[in-house]
């Protein structure tokens, strides 16, 4: 199987193997080995729960080196609306845009400017394929990955379209090329509120490569803008820094209900990954009837609650909502992107397939899988079922599964170790050695 | 391999939990997702039938490498006319049950549609046994 890029990384210096992330992970992708949290690339969906749970900031989002933007003569920054929500009301959009130019970008493009085109394409997709109801949005890359690994039977319901991020990147590039800039001199960089969008750009699902050249973390940009604002308080702002018209719908698109409120029929908006899992279970069981569209976002309160959001999510929502209201009060303007609407609509469909890659199956062969399941049942009947995590797995069930898959030893269970020592099957020293494999060498030194 | 689940009559809040458990097992066994869907829909309907009509019931699921057999056995009013109950839209569900969104009379027809073999035995005022078999490969 191909390798999946994940932006979530563990810092060996900061991680103490405390198990918080391991327990929080919705796909059981984390184990503690040698005293460190380790993430299984096949199971991780980049939802960022581990990062949000980590109390030691040991999990971080790997980003591209900012200076890479200077490899290009024309440096486009793609800005999702939530970036503006990071700042308090007194920092104007113009100031933020000006700071982005001051730090080195040559053009600021709002990601959500292609939302109206995308919403139209989604409407058309759904209208022409009623047999694929309920439709599931592919907005959130963590959700798409979650469906691939845990709900492969729902893949056909996912609307296989590119997202506003891709369309705006394609458009920005096209626009510059029409202005006579050679393609290799254009660098398009996205400011991301989460780890999932980075993974979606580095290893896209359903397309060969992303139109985005690099990704920069939102908290990094936030700091840079803040720093710039303190330095040159009084510098005049360039009035035209690339701001175009955004419809009220486009501004609110990344917020919860952003998509669901844009479509006809019975539409649900669900945010936070456990809520998403719950609704996918129900949809998969056919327990919910007559649903037309579901908007699923991995983060609590959607992108406003992204792992790289620095501001309180409710304040982010407040700023975006008031911007959306202000836009609703103005007559819609002809946006430059409208000229390329036809061109963008032509390539909105993902060229490739969203492939199933179940992490649930114990074996390809059902017969072998059944044997393994029986072994798991036997193990479950002798281990304590307290889910203490001391074996380095998130639950007794997960350990049992790891054991039959050859990824762990039953003796990692601390209860089992005590039994083994008592029966003289292993020495106390050996028991320490086993524990050291989970919790790290020398972990027990100062107790000896 | 056998799995047992208890189903409580009248507890709509838990209806579907047994079929959800079976779904998780079938996913681990790498059964075709389309087959899983059929099995789960049939089991869910059978489970809801017990919740809506009976006092209590048990689901026994037997798995072998090529098929799944589920027997749902309940203590309850039984079905007086099975042929009639098999008709779409026919229901004896109480208004209270219908208010909760159940009792559309699609239960048994839906089960029939979603399993390969269906065997229903019922004794009025004693209970009903529904045996469903589905093969993993067409």
């Amino acid at each position: 199987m191909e390798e999946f890029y994940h932006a979530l990384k563990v810092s060996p210096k900061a991680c103490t193997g405390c198990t918080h992330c391991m327990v929080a992970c919705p796909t059981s992708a984390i184990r503690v080995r040698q005293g460190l949290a380790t993430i299984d690339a096949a199971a991780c969906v980049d939802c960022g729960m581990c990062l949000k749970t980590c109390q030691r900031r040991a999990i971080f989002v790997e980003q591209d080196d900012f200076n890479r933007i200077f490899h290009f003569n024309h440096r486009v920054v793609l800005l999702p609306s939530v970036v503006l929500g990071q700042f308090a009301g007194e920092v104007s959009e113009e100031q933020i845009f000006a700071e982005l130019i001051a730090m080195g970008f040559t053009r600021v493009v709002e990601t959500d400017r292609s939302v109206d085109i995308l919403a139209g394409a989604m409407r058309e997709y759904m209208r022409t394929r009623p047999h694929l109801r309920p439709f599931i949005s592919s907005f959130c890359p963590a959700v798409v990955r979650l469906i691939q690994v845990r709900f492969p039977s729902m893949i056909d319901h996912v609307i296989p379209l590119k997202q506003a991020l891709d369309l705006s990147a394609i458009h920005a590039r096209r626009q510059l090329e029409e202005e006579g800039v050679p393609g290799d001199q254009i660098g398009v960089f996205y400011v991301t509120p989460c780890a999932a969008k980075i993974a979606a750009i580095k290893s896209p699902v359903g397309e060969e490569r992303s139109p985005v050249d690099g990704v920069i973390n939102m908290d990094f940009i936030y700091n840079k803008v803040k720093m710039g604002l303190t330095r040159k308080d009084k510098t005049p702002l360039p009035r035209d820094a690339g701001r175009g018209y955004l419809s009220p719908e486009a501004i609110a698109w990344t917020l919860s209900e952003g998509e669901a409120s844009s479509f006809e029929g019975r539409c649900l908006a669900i945010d936070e990954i456990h809520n998403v899992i719950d609704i996918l279970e129900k949809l998969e069981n056919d327990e919910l009837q007559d649903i037309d569209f579901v908007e699923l976002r991995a983060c609590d309160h959607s992108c406003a609650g992204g792992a790289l959001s620095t501001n309180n999510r409710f304040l982010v929502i407040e700023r975006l909502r008031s911007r959306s209201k202000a836009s609703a009060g103005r007559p819609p303007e002809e946006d430059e992107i409208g000229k390329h609407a036809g061109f963008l609509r032509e390539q909105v469909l993902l060229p490739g397939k969203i492939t199933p890659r179940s992490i649930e199956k114990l074996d390809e062969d059902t017969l072998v899988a059944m044997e393994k399941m029986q072994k798991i049942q036997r193990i479950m009947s002798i281990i304590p079922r307290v889910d203490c995590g001391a074996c380095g797995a998130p639950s007794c069930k997960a350990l049992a599964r790891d054991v039959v898959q050859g990824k762990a030893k039953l003796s990692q269970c601390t209860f089992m170790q005590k039994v083994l020592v008592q029966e003289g099957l292993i020495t106390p020293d050996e028991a320490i050695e086993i524990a050291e494999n989970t919790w790290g060498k020398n972990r027990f030194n100062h107790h000896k | 391999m056998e799995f047992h689940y208890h189903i409580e009559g009248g507890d709509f809040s838990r209806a579907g939990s047994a079929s959800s458990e079976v779904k998780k097992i079938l996913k681990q066994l790498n059964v075709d997702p389309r087959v899983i869907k059929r099995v789960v829909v049939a089991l869910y309907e059978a489970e809801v039938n017990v919740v809506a009509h009976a006092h209590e019931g048990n689901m026994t699921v037997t798995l072998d490498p090529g098929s799944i057999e589920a027997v749902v056995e309940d203590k309850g009013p039984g079905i007086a006319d099975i042929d009639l109950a098999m008709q779409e839209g026919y229901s004896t569900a109480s208004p209270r049950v219908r208010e909760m969104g159940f009792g559309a009379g699609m239960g048994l027809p839906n089960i029939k549609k979603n399993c390969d073999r269906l065997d229903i035995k019922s004794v009025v005022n004693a209970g009903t046994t529904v045996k469903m078999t589905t093969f993993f490969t067409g």
Side-chain angles (χ1 to χ4, degrees):
Chain A
M1 195 184 269
E2 62 198 291
E3 268 297 308
F4 299 99
Y5 176 86
H6 297 290
L8 291 161
K9 305 282 173 197
V10 181
S11 155
K13 271 199 190 123
C15 178
T16 59
C18 74
T19 74
H20 283 93
C21 61
M22 178 176 86
V23 175
C25 177
T27 59
S28 282
I30 301 178
R31 299 290 182 275
V32 175
R33 295 283 181 268
Q34 314 294 340
L36 293 178
T38 56
I39 304 174
D40 176 1
C44 173
V45 297
D46 307 282
C47 71
M49 278 301 281
C50 52
L51 182 149
K52 293 176 191 169
T53 319
C54 182
Q55 310 189 336
R56 293 181 171 80
R57 301 173 133 227
I59 295 179
F60 61 97
V61 176
E62 188 178 62
Q63 64 180 336
D64 289 310
D65 175 14
F66 180 76
N67 288 318
R68 223 166 63 83
I69 72 167
F70 297 107
H71 292 187
F72 302 90
N73 293 339
H74 294 263
R75 304 175 284 275
V76 180
V77 59
L78 278 179
L79 207 65
S81 303
V82 282
V83 173
L84 303 174
Q86 301 304 303
F87 299 89
E90 53 267 26
V91 182
S92 70
E93 288 161 29
E94 285 80 4
Q95 278 177 303
I96 299 166
F97 277 60
E99 285 306 330
L100 288 162
I101 298 291
M103 74 179 72
F105 292 106
T106 55
R107 189 169 287 188
V108 184
V109 171
E110 291 205 65
T111 308
D112 299 315
R113 67 188 309 189
S114 57
V115 156
D116 301 323
I117 292 169
L118 172 63
M122 287 171 79
R123 232 169 259 130
E124 183 61 12
Y125 181 88
M126 292 192 275
R127 192 184 64 76
T128 50
R129 294 165 184 82
H131 58 287
L132 292 175
R133 288 169 69 240
F135 294 99
I136 299 175
S137 164
S138 59
F139 172 90
C140 176
V143 168
V144 173
R145 282 162 162 71
L146 176 73
I147 291 171
Q148 286 181 288
V149 300
R150 281 194 58 183
F151 301 94
S153 71
M154 302 304 291
I155 287 177
D156 289 346
H157 298 277
V158 177
I159 302 175
L161 299 187
K162 288 176 187 160
Q163 290 305 308
L165 156 65
D166 309 282
L167 297 179
S168 295
I170 293 170
H171 170 250
R173 189 172 281 281
R174 174 90 170 187
Q175 199 180 10
L176 278 165
E177 282 171 354
E178 282 182 358
E179 288 167 23
V181 178
D184 59 355
Q185 286 182 21
I186 306 167
V188 181
F189 293 83
Y190 175 65
V191 180
T192 184
C194 67
K197 296 271 188 199
I198 302 186
I201 287 164
K202 303 280 175 184
S203 40
V205 174
E207 56 184 335
E208 275 295 305
R209 72 178 285 272
S210 161
V212 176
D213 299 289
V215 189
I216 297 152
N217 289 352
M218 187 162 75
D219 54 349
F220 177 87
I221 288 291
Y222 172 79
N223 285 338
K224 238 173 143 54
V225 171
K226 277 295 242 191
M227 191 61 87
L229 287 173
T230 59
R231 262 203 318 268
K232 27 189 183 84
D233 238 355
K234 304 270 189 301
T235 30
L237 305 167
R239 286 303 298 176
D240 181 32
R243 278 188 65 216
Y245 168 80
L246 278 191
S247 69
E249 293 78 25
I251 293 165
W253 189 251
T254 53
L255 301 180
S256 294
E257 302 275 359
E259 295 170 278
S261 63
S262 303
F263 301 123
E264 299 282 313
R266 192 171 169 211
C267 302
L268 292 177
I270 286 112
D271 58 53
E272 203 278 332
I273 190 126
H274 296 95
N275 298 332
V276 168
I277 290 170
D278 192 58
I279 211 81
L280 283 170
E281 293 279 2
K282 285 191 161 51
L283 286 171
E284 194 177 46
N285 296 357
D286 260 357
E287 282 178 50
L288 302 173
Q289 262 103 44
D290 296 322
I291 307 266
D292 292 291
F293 173 82
V294 276
E295 165 195 310
L296 302 174
R297 312 277 178 86
C299 289
D300 178 49
H301 287 82
S302 297
C303 300
L308 299 171
S309 201
T310 50
N311 197 2
N312 178 289
R313 64 199 60 175
F314 299 97
L315 298 176
V316 175
I317 294 166
E318 186 204 20
R319 176 149 188 180
L320 265 57
R321 289 254 181 259
S322 70
R323 187 181 177 210
S324 173
K325 248 186 220 152
S327 167
R330 283 199 297 268
E333 290 164 34
E334 184 62 40
D335 185 25
E336 194 276 331
I337 197 168
K339 276 190 273 171
H340 291 135
F343 170 71
L344 292 173
R345 267 194 293 269
E346 268 167 38
Q347 33 190 313
V348 70
L349 210 61
L350 284 175
K353 284 236 171 312
I354 302 172
T355 50
R357 43 185 191 92
S358 168
I359 52 166
E360 314 262 327
K361 61 183 175 210
L362 290 163
D363 201 278
E364 287 293 330
D365 182 338
T366 300
L367 187 61
V368 179
M370 282 182 81
E371 284 163 6
K372 287 182 175 174
M373 187 172 279
Q374 277 166 327
K375 273 186 204 155
I376 291 176
Q377 282 183 310
R378 277 201 297 277
I379 295 173
M380 288 304 285
S381 68
I382 55 167
I383 55 178
R385 300 184 186 227
V386 293
D387 299 337
C388 68
C391 61
S395 65
C396 293
K397 189 99 186 231
L399 175 68
R401 216 186 133 98
D402 286 353
V403 170
V404 304
Q405 299 292 44
K407 293 176 180 169
K409 294 200 181 76
L410 191 51
S411 57
Q412 283 172 227
C413 170
T414 52
F415 283 66
M416 297 307 292
Q417 278 164 31
K418 292 208 162 43
V419 174
L420 292 172
V421 171
Q422 191 187 36
E423 291 181 357
L425 293 168
I426 57 171
T427 65
D429 277 351
E430 282 170 323
I432 291 271
E433 204 177 296
I434 293 165
E436 274 182 343
N437 276 329
T438 308
W439 297 103
K441 266 257 165 284
N442 308 324
R443 193 78 182 231
F444 298 87
N445 277 2
H446 53 285
H447 300 294
K448 279 180 192 166
Chain B
M1 227 183 331
E2 245 183 47
F3 297 88
H4 301 272
Y5 306 95
H6 183 73
I7 306 165
E8 197 61 51
D11 188 357
F12 286 92
S13 65
R14 299 273 302 146
S17 53
S19 32
S20 260
E21 288 302 314
V22 175
K23 179 178 79 178
K24 282 177 195 152
I25 292 167
L26 294 177
K27 279 185 175 184
Q28 292 179 61
L29 296 180
N30 200 26
V31 173
D32 183 333
R34 285 164 300 186
V35 178
I36 298 183
K37 181 130 202 173
R38 293 185 70 216
V39 171
V40 172
V41 168
L43 293 189
Y44 177 72
E45 294 290 358
E47 204 181 336
V48 168
N49 279 348
V50 175
V51 175
H53 299 284
H55 310 306
E56 61 164 338
N58 284 300
M59 184 190 288
T60 303
V61 173
T62 312
L63 286 162
D64 68 55
S67 68
I68 174 169
E69 180 195 276
V71 179
V72 178
E73 209 172 352
D74 73 45
K75 292 194 187 102
I79 304 170
D81 186 338
I82 293 176
D83 289 336
L84 192 58
M86 291 300 292
Q87 287 176 19
E88 291 191 5
Y90 178 81
S91 176
T92 59
S94 67
R96 191 180 67 92
V97 167
R98 287 175 202 241
E99 263 170 35
M100 300 173 84
F102 301 93
M106 294 304 292
L108 287 180
N110 230 347
I111 294 176
K112 194 177 162 65
K113 225 184 294 172
N114 285 292
C115 62
D116 297 327
R117 271 188 215 150
L118 174 64
D119 180 30
I120 304 173
K121 289 196 171 63
S122 190
V123 178
V124 172
N125 292 327
T128 303
T129 303
V130 177
K131 187 166 135 184
M132 297 157 279
T133 311
T134 301
F135 300 100
F136 294 154
T137 46

